[in-house]
Amino acid sequence: MGCAVLLWCWLLLGCSWGPRPPGVCAAALSTAAYVLDDAGGLGRQFDGIGAVSGGGATSRLLVNYQEPYRSQILDYLFKPNFGASLHILKVEIGGDGQSTDGTEPSHMHYENDENYFRGYEWWLMKEAKTRNPKIKLIGLPWTFPAWIGKGENWPYDYPDVTAYYVVSWILGAKRYHDLDIDYIGIWNERAFSSKYIKNSAGIGSHLLTISQVVAIRKVSVLTVCVHWMRAHYPGTKTVPNALLTKKKLWSSEDYSTFNDEVGAGCWARILNQNYVNGNMTSTIAWNLVASYYEELPFGRCGLMTAQEPWSGHYKVEAPIWITAHTTQFTQPGWSYLQVDGQLEGGGSFVALTDGLGNLTIIIETMTHNHSQCIRPLLPHFSVTPQKATFYLKGSFYMVQTLQVWHSRLGFESGNSSLFQQLHPVKVWKGSFSLYLNVDEVYTLTTLKTGQKCGCPEPPPPQPFPSNYKDDFNIRNPPFSEAPNFADQTGVFEYFINSSDPGDHVFTLRQVVVQRPITWASDADQTISLIGNFQWVNMTVTCDIYIEKQRDGGVFIAGRVDNGGIYVRRTKGVFFWVFADGTYRVTGDLAGEEILMKGLSGVRDNTWHTLTLNIQGTSASGLLNGYPLWENVTVSKPSNGWAAIGTRSFEFAQFDNFHVEAS
């Protein structure tokens, strides 16, 4: 088709804004008109876009970044008009149990124990609030310490105890960190107890004055206690009974998808369609930042990636800029306009207003194969290039100009354009038209505050150091956990050993002594991982101290191949010593695949040094510098992390950890 004919097609349709899809005559495009009018009232109130830290241990490595890189990452997540500019931060209330990619420590390991400085969620909430004082904070437990269940794997038999535990966390947030928690959930993705909900609602001013809100996932007689209703991974749909309640509807955990361009397409689609199809006024991504070892379950399922504190490298992934299309041009408290939201050629749009004359329109045209989330299964649909004409009525009729921000996901071409500001569009007599290609996101807004800010490029990626040492000699650690260790069952914390005036005053101690009320399949042993999953040959050395008499035990390990929700099936090479004076070498964490066993002379309450050497298909072990066993054949796994841990939920200490690997 010649240039003159293409120009004639364009002229026939009138002056439309936006590049027409290449090779497509305007007359061949599907066309439709959409009316944006607030004269008949507004739709539901918008509650914001957010992300989850935890559920679990997803921000574990973030705290170990050095400045300025750590602050740069936080700016991209929370700073208004900078990057993702999130409205909501949801954090795990640590309960000492495995909650997807690790454990997060409880503020009350034991009934008479309270410590509101464990873990990193307090720090993260403060950093978010520093950047955006208006950000909303949500707390949600995945697991609970064992004492709450009093021997049962269930937190609701003693609802007063559970309520006291959760309220203590809320009050601790305020007392020690000056954080007001806006919402509290019940128990992540597990059955709720009506008795517990009623007890929580009736506790009194402690909850009410700091806006604790109880959420349930389905309609019940407890509507008097319920402020909003949540769903996880709803596939943009809401069940009819939830709509009948007239309550706020949220997708309080969604996305959970590898953060490449398909992940960005998933996120763009559900950010719009959760409201268009499901009337959900808030969408919260799991997870905030992929800051955990990538080979753990759901690697890189965060809005951005920050998994190398040792190098300082991080990556601002496409979902950050997809988020910005909504968050930089809306605020909680705005209202959706009453529109159908479905585009004639496929895709969707939403329109929001602050009620003061400002208008923001977000359009997405994600195709099926380029927007599949990890769950649920996405039914087939089609999206084609199209022309859309918008008519502004009511208080928007006098709008003359709209600012334009645009993203195009390139996929196979690799030529993506993310969150680019284009020339403003002129509104003529209350209308304007757009050419929309597939796999695009547009924001059109009266606001002029949007920015795509960027920091200097971070350092290049580097593998975990092949020669790594930690003597844990730190008197006032900024965090309770040692850098780069990723607890998978149990909790390993810095400890001051006041009873040892010698070389082991400052140690790392495993502190969970009863199996928590679990959310996932925690192991029966405790374990903390560290290093590079690709390591093959390695020498691991660590001083160990068994505290449990008679049947206590500890291990060091290499080529550890699993963690997270799959920790029970972990394989590797495990060198165990026990308080009864024996040792074992096993091919698994469960201790069922015995490769070697014998006498060691190890006893409890004495320091010993263990060394595990793995080279090719052979492994050997030293005790206090002397060979204890050797020439054990190991064939699988072929690679994996280093690790430390205990035989059961028991106190034990570790010191002078050292790994050399290749």
Side-chain angles (χ1 to χ4, degrees):
M1 183 180 289
C3 293
V5 178
L6 283 171
L7 177 61
W8 179 242
C9 287
W10 183 80
L11 290 172
L12 282 174
L13 282 166
C15 183
S16 296
W17 186 93
R20 186 171 65 253
V24 179
C25 178
L29 296 174
S30 63
T31 62
Y34 310 94
V35 177
L36 304 181
D37 188 357
D38 60 351
L42 300 172
R44 290 182 175 236
Q45 186 179 89
F46 174 65
D47 293 311
I49 305 302
V52 182
S53 171
T58 54
S59 303
R60 174 65 193 91
L61 298 176
L62 174 61
V63 298
N64 304 141
Y65 271 81
Q66 298 299 306
E67 297 294 349
Y69 311 117
R70 190 171 71 178
S71 288
Q72 291 171 2
I73 295 165
L74 293 165
D75 285 348
Y76 278 117
L77 295 169
F78 301 120
K79 189 175 179 179
N81 299 315
F82 190 93
S85 306
L86 292 168
H87 303 136
I88 300 169
L89 172 61
K90 177 179 175 181
V91 303
E92 176 177 351
I93 300 175
D96 295 339
Q98 173 61 243
S99 51
T100 296
D101 288 296
T103 66
E104 297 205 21
S106 171
H107 59 289
M108 298 177 73
H109 292 319
Y110 329 111
E111 189 167 3
N112 296 319
D113 161 65
E114 291 187 61
N115 184 324
Y116 297 95
F117 295 92
R118 293 187 182 119
Y120 37 84
E121 303 296 4
W122 313 106
W123 165 83
L124 185 62
M125 288 189 285
K126 288 190 289 187
E127 293 291 336
K129 277 286 188 182
T130 297
R131 288 161 174 79
N132 178 9
K134 295 181 180 179
I135 197 167
K136 299 295 184 181
L137 300 177
I138 303 175
L140 176 66
W142 267 252
T143 70
F144 297 86
W147 62 270
I148 286 177
K150 299 187 178 181
E152 298 296 328
N153 194 41
W154 184 247
Y156 299 139
D157 285 342
Y158 305 91
D160 290 345
V161 173
T162 307
Y164 168 77
Y165 170 80
V166 173
V167 171
S168 296
W169 184 87
I170 298 169
L171 296 176
K174 182 63 175 177
R175 181 179 299 124
Y176 296 99
H177 304 285
D178 197 25
L179 292 168
D180 292 310
I181 305 301
D182 296 284
Y183 304 100
I184 286 291
I186 303 172
W187 187 13
N188 183 70
E189 296 176 350
R190 295 295 180 263
F192 65 87
S193 159
S194 59
K195 186 176 180 181
Y196 168 66
I197 294 173
K198 291 174 182 176
N199 277 28
S200 298
I203 284 173
S205 60
H206 293 315
L207 293 179
L208 299 176
T209 58
I210 52 180
S211 303
Q212 183 193 21
V213 179
V214 178
I216 62 172
R217 290 185 296 153
K218 63 182 181 180
V219 179
S220 80
V221 297
L222 302 171
T223 53
V224 67
C225 304
V226 179
H227 184 67
W228 45 259
M229 303 184 68
R230 64 178 175 86
H232 286 188
Y233 309 97
T236 77
K237 304 295 174 58
T238 297
V239 296
N241 282 344
L243 292 170
L244 293 175
T245 67
K246 307 297 183 182
K247 301 289 184 180
K248 288 179 177 289
L249 305 173
W250 287 17
S251 177
S252 60
E253 185 178 317
D254 218 326
Y255 176 64
S256 188
T257 301
F258 191 80
N259 59 20
D260 59 5
E261 289 177 325
V262 174
C266 153
W267 187 229
R269 179 176 56 78
I270 64 177
L271 281 178
N272 267 17
Q273 293 190 24
N274 275 347
Y275 183 75
V276 170
N277 298 333
N279 285 285
M280 286 170 275
T281 55
S282 177
T283 298
I284 300 175
W286 188 89
N287 58 71
L288 174 72
V289 53
S291 204
Y292 47 99
Y293 292 115
E294 186 171 337
E295 295 82 5
L296 287 169
F298 307 103
R300 273 186 58 188
C301 285
L303 297 180
M304 65 181 290
T305 303
Q307 57 192 23
E308 289 189 18
W310 48 88
S311 72
H313 179 73
Y314 64 86
K315 188 175 180 182
V316 184
E317 309 283 3
I320 288 287
W321 302 116
I322 295 301
T323 310
H325 272 282
T326 298
T327 54
Q328 289 203 22
F329 309 105
T330 60
Q331 287 296 324
W334 284 41
S335 294
Y336 286 97
L337 299 191
Q338 298 187 69
V339 295
D340 174 79
Q342 303 285 354
L343 292 172
E344 185 71 22
S348 65
F349 73 94
V350 293
L352 300 98
T353 181
D354 63 354
L356 302 173
N358 284 309
L359 174 68
T360 292
I361 308 163
I362 305 112
I363 302 168
E364 62 81 22
T365 58
M366 294 299 119
T367 54
H368 178 273
N369 290 349
H370 290 162
S371 66
Q372 296 185 64
C373 303
I374 194 170
R375 65 179 75 86
L377 182 67
L378 183 62
H380 181 75
F381 61 87
S382 296
V383 180
T384 59
Q386 57 194 294
K387 180 190 176 186
T389 299
F390 290 87
Y391 292 93
L392 307 187
K393 296 188 176 183
S395 67
F396 311 122
Y397 180 78
M398 301 306 294
V399 172
Q400 297 181 340
T401 304
L402 291 169
Q403 307 301 310
V404 182
W405 293 81
H406 174 254
S407 292
R408 181 188 66 252
L409 299 177
F411 298 101
E412 289 83 2
S413 72
N415 186 26
S416 291
S417 173
L418 296 171
F419 201 60
Q420 297 298 312
Q421 187 170 19
L422 305 182
H423 292 297
V425 60
K426 299 296 184 182
V427 182
W428 174 250
K429 293 185 178 180
S431 73
F432 65 94
S433 296
L434 290 172
Y435 288 117
L436 304 174
N437 209 335
V438 299
D439 296 327
E440 291 186 321
V441 181
Y442 279 98
T443 299
L444 300 102
T445 181
T446 55
L447 298 180
K448 298 181 179 180
T449 53
Q451 296 184 70
K452 184 179 182 180
C453 292
C455 300
E457 280 294 311
Q462 296 288 338
F464 192 94
S466 58
N467 190 336
Y468 184 84
K469 296 180 180 181
D470 196 335
D471 60 12
F472 312 117
N473 287 349
I474 180 167
R475 181 174 293 276
N476 296 303
F479 298 98
S480 59
E481 298 158 302
N484 305 317
F485 280 90
D487 303 346
Q488 301 302 307
T489 298
V491 172
F492 295 72
E493 296 180 347
Y494 282 119
F495 181 66
I496 298 178
N497 191 352
S498 57
S499 64
D500 190 328
D503 297 332
H504 301 287
V505 175
F506 301 100
T507 67
L508 192 70
R509 192 188 197 201
Q510 200 295 118
V511 296
V512 178
V513 295
Q514 289 180 283
R515 184 180 182 83
I517 296 173
T518 58
W519 180 81
S521 297
D522 296 45
D524 297 322
Q525 306 76 23
T526 74
I527 180 172
S528 188
L529 308 173
I530 192 169
N532 185 340
F533 185 76
Q534 303 306 322
W535 281 344
V536 175
N537 301 318
M538 67 185 77
T539 299
V540 182
T541 299
C542 191
D543 297 340
I544 60 91
Y545 187 86
I546 302 171
E547 296 189 47
K548 187 178 182 181
Q549 296 181 355
R550 293 183 297 278
D551 57 352
V554 302
F555 69 80
I556 62 174
R559 293 189 186 174
V560 176
D561 73 344
N562 239 320
I565 54 176
Y566 308 119
V567 66
R568 288 188 71 87
R569 66 178 72 164
T570 297
K571 305 291 186 181
V573 182
F574 293 81
F575 176 16
W576 308 77
V577 291
F578 304 108
D580 64 1
T582 64
Y583 78 89
R584 285 189 181 185
V585 183
T586 68
D588 60 343
L589 175 62
E592 296 173 351
E593 184 184 337
I594 300 173
L595 306 177
M596 177 79 78
K597 63 180 180 179
L599 298 176
S600 67
V602 167
R603 290 291 183 267
D604 56 82
N605 295 295
T606 302
W607 282 97
H608 301 277
T609 301
L610 303 184
T611 301
L612 170 65
N613 183 37
I614 308 171
Q615 300 293 325
T617 59
S618 180
S620 59
L622 282 72
L623 174 64
N624 300 325
Y626 294 94
L628 180 63
W629 54 272
E630 58 188 358
N631 298 325
V632 170
T633 300
V634 291
S635 56
K636 293 181 180 180
S638 58
N639 56 275
W641 295 288
I644 57 175
T646 65
R647 181 185 202 173
S648 63
F649 290 97
E650 61 185 274
F651 288 125
Q653 295 179 55
F654 303 84
D655 202 1
N656 298 318
F657 177 85
H658 182 201
V659 58
E660 290 186 84
S662 61

